[in-house]
């Protein structure tokens, strides 16, 4: 690793402040706030930028991609209503920050990334930090049928529509959370599989994500 993983009083204090900020912005799930309070976001930044790690901002992670801002990570996590042991498919591993939050919530995570360099880096760094997930390289817009069905599916990139193939990989009672829109803005969409062929869709707030690229995407 290029720098040491140290968590000193500055980072601990900044993390606590971030949790308070997210609470003030409307995140109310105590388990999600606790998870955000545990994941050391500065470990996903070069040491030069540690002072920025606990700002509620997205940040470049290389390959033209970003680490999502903490509010967005908390917002999507809250919508998933993670129960301990839930089998979760995450589409868009990126640097793995959201993956760690899901793991802290007790999920069993299957995460897929299409950028090979990010996949390589994240699948090495997370186990080093003590986070065990199942990492895949490929086009997550098609899901991962081999390990379906999932209790929850989270998409961390903006899609032009809800890929039907992902709905088929949800358990009955399962929840999909996906940002849907154009390249400028997306609405957060939650789809709950209420029956074998029945889905309830809820359209929520506006966000701006990098695009979901692939077969069932842009
Ligand atoms: N979840 C990350 C975090 O914790 O900060 C941020 C993810 S970033 C906003 C979105 C990621 O989705 C990028 O790394 C991008 O390469 C990836 N991506 C885009 N299209 C994809 C696809 N079809 N399959 C898998 N990953 C994809």
């Amino acid at each position: 690793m290029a720098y040491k993983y140290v968590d000193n009083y500055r980072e601990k204090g900044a993390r606590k402040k971030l949790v308070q900020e997210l609470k003030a912005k409307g995140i109310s799930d105590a388990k999600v706030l606790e998870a955000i309070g545990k994941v050391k976001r500065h470990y996903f930044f070069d040491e030069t930028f540690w002072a920025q790690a606990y700002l509620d901002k997205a940040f470049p992670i290389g390959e033209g991609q970003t680490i999502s801002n903490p509010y967005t990570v908390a917002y999507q996590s809250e919508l998933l209503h993670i129960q301990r042991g839930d089998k979760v498919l995450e589409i868009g591993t990126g640097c793995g920050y959201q993956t760690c939050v899901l793991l802290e919530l007790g999920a069993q995570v299957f995460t897929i990334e299409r950028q090979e360099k990010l996949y390589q880096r994240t699948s090495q760094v997370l186990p080093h930090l003590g986070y065990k997930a199942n990492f895949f390289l490929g086009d997550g817009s098609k899901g991962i049928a081999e390990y379906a069905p999932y209790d929850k599916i989270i998409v961390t990139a903006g899609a032009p529509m809800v890929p039907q193939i992902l709905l088929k990989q949800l358990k009955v009672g399962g929840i999909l959370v996906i940002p849907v829109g154009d390249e400028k803005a997306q609405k957060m969409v939650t789809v709950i599989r209420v029956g074998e062929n029945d889905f309830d869709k809820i359209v929520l707030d506006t966000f701006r994500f990098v695009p979901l690229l692939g077969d069932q995407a842009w």
Side-chain angles (χ1 to χ4, degrees):
M1 297 296 144
Y3 54 89
K4 281 190 191 146
Y5 290 112
V6 287
D7 187 36
N8 61 32
Y9 71 94
R10 274 189 305 270
E11 284 73 41
K12 285 192 174 92
R15 207 155 52 242
K16 272 193 190 161
K17 268 195 188 163
L18 172 65
V19 169
Q20 292 312 316
E21 185 181 345
L22 297 184
K23 226 173 166 176
K25 286 180 174 173
I27 303 297
S28 59
D29 185 326
K31 286 193 277 182
V32 169
L33 291 167
E34 196 185 326
I36 296 278
K38 282 186 182 163
V39 182
K40 298 169 181 70
R41 193 169 185 258
H42 63 288
Y43 287 176
F44 300 92
F45 288 59
D46 187 275
E47 201 171 352
T48 331
F49 299 109
W50 277 10
Q52 312 222 28
Y54 295 100
L55 301 179
D56 188 20
K57 286 186 176 162
F59 201 81
I61 54 172
E63 311 311 308
Q65 303 303 324
T66 52
I67 179 171
S68 301
N69 66 316
Y71 176 75
T72 303
V73 170
Y75 187 97
Q76 287 197 289
S77 303
E78 198 166 62
L79 290 174
L80 287 170
H81 297 283
I82 301 285
Q83 304 298 314
R84 197 153 279 283
D86 269 358
K87 190 168 155 190
V88 179
L89 172 63
E90 179 193 31
I91 298 162
T93 314
C95 68
Y97 175 67
Q98 170 79 72
T99 317
C100 296
V101 171
L102 295 171
L103 289 167
E104 289 286 0
L105 287 166
Q108 180 196 356
V109 183
F110 294 75
T111 183
I112 182 163
E113 172 56 54
R114 64 179 288 281
Q115 293 269 1
E116 187 162 4
K117 280 192 187 157
L118 289 177
Y119 158 79
Q120 294 288 0
R121 195 199 314 157
T122 305
S123 59
Q124 282 174 18
V125 168
L126 260 57
H128 184 79
L129 299 177
Y131 288 108
K132 291 191 178 62
N134 305 284
F135 297 95
F136 299 86
L137 172 64
D139 176 9
S141 72
K142 296 183 282 188
I144 311 180
E146 203 183 336
Y147 295 97
Y150 303 96
D151 295 292
K152 313 282 161 66
I153 301 179
I154 171 173
V155 181
T156 70
M161 76 294 176
V162 176
Q164 295 303 301
I165 198 166
L166 295 184
L167 297 179
K168 294 199 182 101
Q169 294 180 25
L170 264 187
K171 283 184 191 169
V172 172
I175 303 174
L176 164 70
V177 174
I178 179 169
V180 178
D182 57 26
E183 67 274 21
K184 288 195 193 116
Q186 305 88 32
K187 291 278 183 196
M188 196 64 76
V189 173
T190 292
V191 185
I192 305 167
R193 186 171 198 170
V194 290
E196 199 53 46
N197 297 307
D198 281 335
F199 297 90
D200 279 353
K201 183 176 164 186
I202 307 161
V203 180
L204 298 154
D205 297 324
T206 305
F207 290 83
R208 187 171 186 179
F209 282 81
V210 294
L212 182 74
L213 301 173
D215 190 64
Q216 300 296 308
W218 292 107

